[in-house]
Amino acid sequence: MTTDTPARLLQLLSLLQTPREWPGGELAARLSVSRRTVRRDVDRLRDLGYPVQASMGAEGGYRLVAGKALPPLVLDDEEAVAIAVGLRAGAGHAVEGVEEASVRALAKLEQVLPSRLRHRVSTLQAATMPLTGGDGASIATETLTVLASATAGQERLRFRYRSGDGTESRRLTEPYRMVSTGRRWYLVAYDIDRDDWRTFRVDRVEEPFATGARFVPRELPTGDAAEYLRRSMSGRGRPSYDIDVTFEAPADFVVARLPSALGAPEAQPDGTCRLRATATDSVEWLALRLALVDCEFTVHGPVELADYLRELSSRLARATDGPVTSGPSGA
């Protein structure tokens, strides 16, 4: 018989979080308690904010329904491993649209994950290889979670950094925000030794370590980490392009297929949409992303992008001018 009330409540909550209705008698048998105790425990869960719904009838039943807020979840071992593996796979490749939320969730989960489950997650991830597209650099999830935890906890962060020319240095920073461009992760932080703000490519960060020393966040010059990153990239000699494109498709269709870093297009009265944004990516990458939206579009600017698209169009046309022969069939 389960006499420990907190343990019994957790077990009851774990049962109720499965998508089904549990008869009161079955719950009582599972928990080795009376139906009256089950009713009291259900009331305790309701007091804690869990929306437990009861059905009337001779048997009566209970189920957990959607409420106004997300209550804490209780996961078994297999569920925790599955979620951690999924979050690691997504966070390590800067998944567009959910990148920051994935890292925050992963940091929270791995903080409380027992060592035996953390080992299972690492073993499973090491034995598999994701098939990813694009040229975004792969990042160790441990690096992401350490950076995310230090940023959220306002802890000074030490790490070794490798610059673009291969120069290595040790940095002591006050991490401000992590920013994803859809292909890469960047850390915006105040560099203590250089007494100035800096941006760091996370795939070049090694051996990150949260010192435990707390700090009061400084005021970022631009007030917005994404804007600071954009200006920082422009200041390093990378050209900045003012994009102006009309898509022959509704805005919701286009926004689902564009990198979030480019922003959202504005719907037009004629059913099209227009994107005006500033980007520091190469025109080659921008041209590819526009083509992958999979609808007709017109580039109003910049000239460099329009010229490259004309060149690319001619090159692709020439690629199909000659005779096509069938090759060997795949496996």
Side-chain angles (χ1 to χ4, degrees), residues 13-55:
L13 183 58
S14 179
L15 294 171
L16 291 175
Q17 285 180 342
T18 57
R20 57 163 288 190
E21 180 172 300
W22 288 87
E26 187 174 349
L27 287 175
R30 288 279 192 123
L31 300 173
S32 300
V33 296
S34 66
R35 295 192 183 189
R36 182 179 179 183
T37 299
V38 170
R39 289 194 295 270
R40 288 202 303 266
D41 286 348
V42 166
D43 287 338
R44 292 188 179 100
L45 289 179
R46 287 170 176 161
D47 290 340
L48 292 173
Y50 292 94
V52 182
Q53 186 180 75
S55 60

Short mmCIF file of all heavy atoms in Angstrom, two decimals, residues 13-55:
data_model
loop_
_atom_site.label_atom_id
_atom_site.label_comp_id
_atom_site.label_asym_id
_atom_site.label_seq_id
_atom_site.Cartn_x
_atom_site.Cartn_y
_atom_site.Cartn_z
N LEU A 13 -0.55 11.39 -10.87
CA LEU A 13 -0.39 12.37 -11.93
C LEU A 13 0.20 11.74 -13.19
O LEU A 13 -0.22 12.04 -14.31
CB LEU A 13 0.51 13.51 -11.45
CG LEU A 13 0.73 14.67 -12.42
CD1 LEU A 13 -0.58 15.31 -12.83
CD2 LEU A 13 1.66 15.70 -11.79
N SER A 14 1.15 10.83 -13.02
CA SER A 14 1.75 10.14 -14.16
C SER A 14 0.70 9.34 -14.92
O SER A 14 0.68 9.30 -16.15
CB SER A 14 2.88 9.24 -13.69
OG SER A 14 3.47 8.55 -14.78
N LEU A 15 -0.21 8.68 -14.18
CA LEU A 15 -1.27 7.91 -14.83
C LEU A 15 -2.25 8.83 -15.57
O LEU A 15 -2.64 8.55 -16.71
CB LEU A 15 -2.03 7.09 -13.78
CG LEU A 15 -1.24 5.96 -13.10
CD1 LEU A 15 -2.05 5.38 -11.95
CD2 LEU A 15 -0.89 4.87 -14.11
N LEU A 16 -2.62 9.94 -14.93
CA LEU A 16 -3.60 10.83 -15.53
C LEU A 16 -3.06 11.56 -16.76
O LEU A 16 -3.84 12.03 -17.60
CB LEU A 16 -4.07 11.86 -14.50
CG LEU A 16 -4.93 11.33 -13.35
CD1 LEU A 16 -5.21 12.44 -12.35
CD2 LEU A 16 -6.24 10.74 -13.88
N GLN A 17 -1.75 11.67 -16.90
CA GLN A 17 -1.18 12.37 -18.04
C GLN A 17 -1.13 11.53 -19.31
O GLN A 17 -0.67 11.98 -20.34
CB GLN A 17 0.22 12.92 -17.69
CG GLN A 17 0.15 14.13 -16.79
CD GLN A 17 1.51 14.69 -16.42
OE1 GLN A 17 2.52 14.01 -16.54
NE2 GLN A 17 1.54 15.93 -15.97
N THR A 18 -1.60 10.29 -19.23
CA THR A 18 -1.79 9.50 -20.44
C THR A 18 -3.15 9.86 -21.03
O THR A 18 -4.10 10.15 -20.29
CB THR A 18 -1.75 7.98 -20.13
OG1 THR A 18 -2.74 7.67 -19.16
CG2 THR A 18 -0.39 7.59 -19.63
N PRO A 19 -3.28 9.90 -22.36
CA PRO A 19 -4.52 10.40 -22.99
C PRO A 19 -5.68 9.39 -22.94
O PRO A 19 -6.06 8.78 -23.93
CB PRO A 19 -4.09 10.65 -24.44
CG PRO A 19 -2.97 9.69 -24.67
CD PRO A 19 -2.25 9.57 -23.36
N ARG A 20 -6.23 9.20 -21.75
CA ARG A 20 -7.38 8.30 -21.59
C ARG A 20 -8.10 8.67 -20.30
O ARG A 20 -7.62 9.47 -19.50
CB ARG A 20 -6.93 6.84 -21.52
CG ARG A 20 -5.93 6.56 -20.42
CD ARG A 20 -5.81 5.09 -20.10
NE ARG A 20 -7.00 4.61 -19.39
CZ ARG A 20 -7.08 3.40 -18.81
NH1 ARG A 20 -6.05 2.57 -18.87
NH2 ARG A 20 -8.16 3.03 -18.19
N GLU A 21 -9.28 8.10 -20.13
CA GLU A 21 -10.02 8.29 -18.87
C GLU A 21 -9.81 7.07 -18.00
O GLU A 21 -9.91 5.93 -18.45
CB GLU A 21 -11.51 8.49 -19.15
CG GLU A 21 -12.32 8.70 -17.88
CD GLU A 21 -13.76 9.10 -18.16
OE1 GLU A 21 -13.95 10.15 -18.80
OE2 GLU A 21 -14.67 8.37 -17.73
N TRP A 22 -9.52 7.33 -16.73
CA TRP A 22 -9.24 6.25 -15.78
C TRP A 22 -10.44 6.06 -14.84
O TRP A 22 -10.83 6.98 -14.12
CB TRP A 22 -8.03 6.59 -14.94
CG TRP A 22 -6.73 6.53 -15.68
CD1 TRP A 22 -6.15 7.51 -16.40
CD2 TRP A 22 -5.86 5.40 -15.77
NE1 TRP A 22 -4.97 7.08 -16.95
CE2 TRP A 22 -4.76 5.78 -16.57
CE3 TRP A 22 -5.89 4.09 -15.25
CZ2 TRP A 22 -3.71 4.92 -16.87
CZ3 TRP A 22 -4.84 3.23 -15.54
CH2 TRP A 22 -3.77 3.64 -16.34
N PRO A 23 -11.05 4.87 -14.84
CA PRO A 23 -12.11 4.60 -13.85
C PRO A 23 -11.55 4.71 -12.44
O PRO A 23 -10.39 4.35 -12.19
CB PRO A 23 -12.54 3.16 -14.18
CG PRO A 23 -12.13 2.95 -15.61
CD PRO A 23 -10.87 3.76 -15.78
N GLY A 24 -12.37 5.21 -11.51
CA GLY A 24 -11.90 5.38 -10.15
C GLY A 24 -11.43 4.09 -9.52
O GLY A 24 -10.43 4.07 -8.79
N GLY A 25 -12.14 2.99 -9.81
CA GLY A 25 -11.75 1.70 -9.24
C GLY A 25 -10.40 1.24 -9.74
O GLY A 25 -9.61 0.65 -8.98
N GLU A 26 -10.10 1.49 -11.03
CA GLU A 26 -8.81 1.09 -11.58
C GLU A 26 -7.67 1.90 -10.96
O GLU A 26 -6.61 1.35 -10.66
CB GLU A 26 -8.81 1.24 -13.10
CG GLU A 26 -7.57 0.69 -13.77
CD GLU A 26 -7.65 0.72 -15.29
OE1 GLU A 26 -8.74 0.97 -15.82
OE2 GLU A 26 -6.60 0.48 -15.93
N LEU A 27 -7.92 3.21 -10.77
CA LEU A 27 -6.89 4.04 -10.13
C LEU A 27 -6.63 3.57 -8.70
O LEU A 27 -5.49 3.51 -8.25
CB LEU A 27 -7.32 5.51 -10.13
CG LEU A 27 -7.26 6.24 -11.47
CD1 LEU A 27 -7.83 7.64 -11.32
CD2 LEU A 27 -5.84 6.29 -12.00
N ALA A 28 -7.71 3.24 -7.99
CA ALA A 28 -7.57 2.78 -6.60
C ALA A 28 -6.76 1.50 -6.55
O ALA A 28 -5.90 1.32 -5.67
CB ALA A 28 -8.95 2.57 -5.99
N ALA A 29 -7.01 0.59 -7.51
CA ALA A 29 -6.27 -0.67 -7.54
C ALA A 29 -4.80 -0.43 -7.88
O ALA A 29 -3.91 -1.06 -7.29
CB ALA A 29 -6.91 -1.62 -8.56
N ARG A 30 -4.55 0.46 -8.84
CA ARG A 30 -3.17 0.75 -9.22
C ARG A 30 -2.37 1.34 -8.06
O ARG A 30 -1.17 1.06 -7.90
CB ARG A 30 -3.16 1.75 -10.39
CG ARG A 30 -3.62 1.21 -11.71
CD ARG A 30 -2.52 0.44 -12.41
NE ARG A 30 -2.84 0.14 -13.78
CZ ARG A 30 -2.12 0.49 -14.83
NH1 ARG A 30 -1.01 1.17 -14.65
NH2 ARG A 30 -2.48 0.15 -16.04
N LEU A 31 -3.03 2.18 -7.26
CA LEU A 31 -2.34 2.88 -6.18
C LEU A 31 -2.44 2.15 -4.84
O LEU A 31 -1.85 2.60 -3.85
CB LEU A 31 -2.92 4.29 -6.02
CG LEU A 31 -2.81 5.20 -7.26
CD1 LEU A 31 -3.57 6.51 -7.03
CD2 LEU A 31 -1.36 5.50 -7.58
N SER A 32 -3.23 1.06 -4.82
CA SER A 32 -3.42 0.27 -3.59
C SER A 32 -4.02 1.12 -2.47
O SER A 32 -3.58 1.09 -1.32
CB SER A 32 -2.09 -0.35 -3.13
OG SER A 32 -1.56 -1.20 -4.13
N VAL A 33 -5.03 1.92 -2.85
CA VAL A 33 -5.74 2.76 -1.87
C VAL A 33 -7.23 2.64 -2.13
O VAL A 33 -7.67 1.99 -3.09
CB VAL A 33 -5.30 4.24 -1.97
CG1 VAL A 33 -3.83 4.40 -1.61
CG2 VAL A 33 -5.58 4.79 -3.36
N SER A 34 -8.02 3.28 -1.29
CA SER A 34 -9.47 3.27 -1.48
C SER A 34 -9.89 4.31 -2.49
O SER A 34 -9.13 5.23 -2.82
CB SER A 34 -10.17 3.54 -0.14
OG SER A 34 -9.89 4.88 0.28
N ARG A 35 -11.13 4.18 -3.01
CA ARG A 35 -11.64 5.18 -3.94
C ARG A 35 -11.76 6.53 -3.26
O ARG A 35 -11.59 7.57 -3.92
CB ARG A 35 -13.01 4.74 -4.48
CG ARG A 35 -12.97 3.47 -5.32
CD ARG A 35 -14.27 3.27 -6.04
NE ARG A 35 -14.27 2.02 -6.79
CZ ARG A 35 -15.22 1.68 -7.64
NH1 ARG A 35 -16.25 2.49 -7.85
NH2 ARG A 35 -15.17 0.53 -8.28
N ARG A 36 -12.07 6.52 -1.97
CA ARG A 36 -12.17 7.79 -1.24
C ARG A 36 -10.83 8.50 -1.24
O ARG A 36 -10.75 9.72 -1.40
CB ARG A 36 -12.64 7.51 0.18
CG ARG A 36 -12.82 8.77 1.01
CD ARG A 36 -13.31 8.42 2.41
NE ARG A 36 -13.47 9.60 3.24
CZ ARG A 36 -13.82 9.57 4.52
NH1 ARG A 36 -14.05 8.40 5.12
NH2 ARG A 36 -13.94 10.68 5.20
N THR A 37 -9.73 7.74 -1.06
CA THR A 37 -8.39 8.34 -1.09
C THR A 37 -8.09 8.90 -2.47
O THR A 37 -7.47 9.97 -2.60
CB THR A 37 -7.32 7.30 -0.70
OG1 THR A 37 -7.59 6.85 0.63
CG2 THR A 37 -5.93 7.90 -0.76
N VAL A 38 -8.51 8.19 -3.53
CA VAL A 38 -8.31 8.68 -4.89
C VAL A 38 -9.01 10.02 -5.07
O VAL A 38 -8.44 10.97 -5.65
CB VAL A 38 -8.82 7.66 -5.93
CG1 VAL A 38 -8.85 8.28 -7.33
CG2 VAL A 38 -7.96 6.42 -5.92
N ARG A 39 -10.25 10.13 -4.57
CA ARG A 39 -11.00 11.39 -4.69
C ARG A 39 -10.27 12.53 -3.96
O ARG A 39 -10.18 13.65 -4.47
CB ARG A 39 -12.42 11.22 -4.14
CG ARG A 39 -13.32 10.37 -5.02
CD ARG A 39 -14.78 10.53 -4.62
NE ARG A 39 -15.03 10.02 -3.27
CZ ARG A 39 -15.39 8.75 -3.00
NH1 ARG A 39 -15.51 7.89 -3.99
NH2 ARG A 39 -15.63 8.38 -1.76
N ARG A 40 -9.74 12.23 -2.76
CA ARG A 40 -9.01 13.26 -2.03
C ARG A 40 -7.74 13.67 -2.78
O ARG A 40 -7.39 14.85 -2.84
CB ARG A 40 -8.66 12.76 -0.62
CG ARG A 40 -9.83 12.67 0.33
CD ARG A 40 -9.36 12.71 1.78
NE ARG A 40 -8.42 11.63 2.05
CZ ARG A 40 -8.76 10.44 2.55
NH1 ARG A 40 -10.02 10.19 2.86
NH2 ARG A 40 -7.83 9.52 2.79
N ASP A 41 -7.05 12.68 -3.35
CA ASP A 41 -5.82 12.99 -4.10
C ASP A 41 -6.13 13.81 -5.35
O ASP A 41 -5.35 14.71 -5.72
CB ASP A 41 -5.11 11.69 -4.49
CG ASP A 41 -4.42 11.03 -3.29
OD1 ASP A 41 -4.32 11.69 -2.24
OD2 ASP A 41 -3.98 9.88 -3.43
N VAL A 42 -7.24 13.53 -6.00
CA VAL A 42 -7.65 14.32 -7.17
C VAL A 42 -7.90 15.76 -6.76
O VAL A 42 -7.51 16.71 -7.45
CB VAL A 42 -8.89 13.70 -7.84
CG1 VAL A 42 -9.51 14.68 -8.84
CG2 VAL A 42 -8.52 12.40 -8.55
N ASP A 43 -8.54 15.95 -5.61
CA ASP A 43 -8.78 17.31 -5.11
C ASP A 43 -7.46 18.03 -4.82
O ASP A 43 -7.32 19.23 -5.07
CB ASP A 43 -9.64 17.27 -3.84
CG ASP A 43 -11.09 16.90 -4.12
OD1 ASP A 43 -11.52 17.10 -5.29
OD2 ASP A 43 -11.77 16.42 -3.21
N ARG A 44 -6.47 17.29 -4.30
CA ARG A 44 -5.16 17.90 -4.05
C ARG A 44 -4.51 18.35 -5.36
O ARG A 44 -3.90 19.43 -5.42
CB ARG A 44 -4.25 16.90 -3.32
CG ARG A 44 -4.67 16.58 -1.88
CD ARG A 44 -3.59 15.75 -1.19
NE ARG A 44 -3.95 15.45 0.19
CZ ARG A 44 -4.47 14.28 0.59
NH1 ARG A 44 -4.69 13.32 -0.31
NH2 ARG A 44 -4.75 14.08 1.86
N LEU A 45 -4.61 17.52 -6.40
CA LEU A 45 -4.05 17.90 -7.69
C LEU A 45 -4.74 19.14 -8.25
O LEU A 45 -4.10 20.01 -8.83
CB LEU A 45 -4.18 16.73 -8.68
CG LEU A 45 -3.28 15.52 -8.42
CD1 LEU A 45 -3.54 14.44 -9.47
CD2 LEU A 45 -1.80 15.91 -8.44
N ARG A 46 -6.04 19.22 -8.06
CA ARG A 46 -6.77 20.41 -8.53
C ARG A 46 -6.29 21.66 -7.79
O ARG A 46 -6.14 22.73 -8.39
CB ARG A 46 -8.27 20.21 -8.33
CG ARG A 46 -8.89 19.22 -9.32
CD ARG A 46 -10.31 18.87 -8.91
NE ARG A 46 -10.95 18.00 -9.89
CZ ARG A 46 -12.04 17.26 -9.62
NH1 ARG A 46 -12.59 17.31 -8.40
NH2 ARG A 46 -12.55 16.50 -10.56
N ASP A 47 -6.04 21.51 -6.48
CA ASP A 47 -5.55 22.65 -5.70
C ASP A 47 -4.18 23.10 -6.20
O ASP A 47 -3.81 24.28 -6.08
CB ASP A 47 -5.46 22.28 -4.22
CG ASP A 47 -6.84 22.11 -3.58
OD1 ASP A 47 -7.82 22.63 -4.15
OD2 ASP A 47 -6.92 21.44 -2.53
N LEU A 48 -3.41 22.18 -6.77
CA LEU A 48 -2.08 22.50 -7.30
C LEU A 48 -2.13 23.06 -8.72
O LEU A 48 -1.09 23.40 -9.29
CB LEU A 48 -1.19 21.25 -7.27
CG LEU A 48 -0.81 20.73 -5.88
CD1 LEU A 48 -0.09 19.39 -6.00
CD2 LEU A 48 0.08 21.74 -5.16
N GLY A 49 -3.36 23.14 -9.28
CA GLY A 49 -3.50 23.73 -10.60
C GLY A 49 -3.67 22.75 -11.74
O GLY A 49 -3.73 23.15 -12.90
N TYR A 50 -3.77 21.45 -11.44
CA TYR A 50 -3.97 20.46 -12.50
C TYR A 50 -5.46 20.33 -12.81
O TYR A 50 -6.26 20.03 -11.90
CB TYR A 50 -3.41 19.11 -12.09
CG TYR A 50 -1.90 19.09 -11.98
CD1 TYR A 50 -1.26 19.32 -10.76
CD2 TYR A 50 -1.11 18.84 -13.09
CE1 TYR A 50 0.12 19.30 -10.66
CE2 TYR A 50 0.28 18.83 -13.00
CZ TYR A 50 0.88 19.06 -11.79
OH TYR A 50 2.24 19.06 -11.70
N PRO A 51 -5.86 20.55 -14.06
CA PRO A 51 -7.29 20.48 -14.41
C PRO A 51 -7.77 19.04 -14.59
O PRO A 51 -7.82 18.51 -15.70
CB PRO A 51 -7.36 21.27 -15.73
CG PRO A 51 -6.01 21.07 -16.35
CD PRO A 51 -5.02 20.97 -15.21
N VAL A 52 -8.13 18.38 -13.49
CA VAL A 52 -8.62 17.00 -13.54
C VAL A 52 -10.14 17.03 -13.66
O VAL A 52 -10.83 17.64 -12.84
CB VAL A 52 -8.20 16.22 -12.28
CG1 VAL A 52 -8.68 14.77 -12.39
CG2 VAL A 52 -6.68 16.27 -12.10
N GLN A 53 -10.64 16.36 -14.70
CA GLN A 53 -12.08 16.32 -14.95
C GLN A 53 -12.63 14.97 -14.50
O GLN A 53 -12.04 13.93 -14.79
CB GLN A 53 -12.35 16.53 -16.44
CG GLN A 53 -13.81 16.65 -16.81
CD GLN A 53 -13.97 16.87 -18.30
OE1 GLN A 53 -13.82 15.96 -19.10
NE2 GLN A 53 -14.25 18.12 -18.68
N ALA A 54 -13.76 15.00 -13.79
CA ALA A 54 -14.39 13.76 -13.31
C ALA A 54 -15.68 13.53 -14.07
O ALA A 54 -16.43 14.47 -14.37
CB ALA A 54 -14.67 13.86 -11.81
N SER A 55 -15.94 12.27 -14.41
CA SER A 55 -17.18 11.91 -15.10
C SER A 55 -18.11 11.23 -14.10
O SER A 55 -17.66 10.52 -13.19
CB SER A 55 -16.89 10.99 -16.28
OG SER A 55 -16.27 9.80 -15.86
#
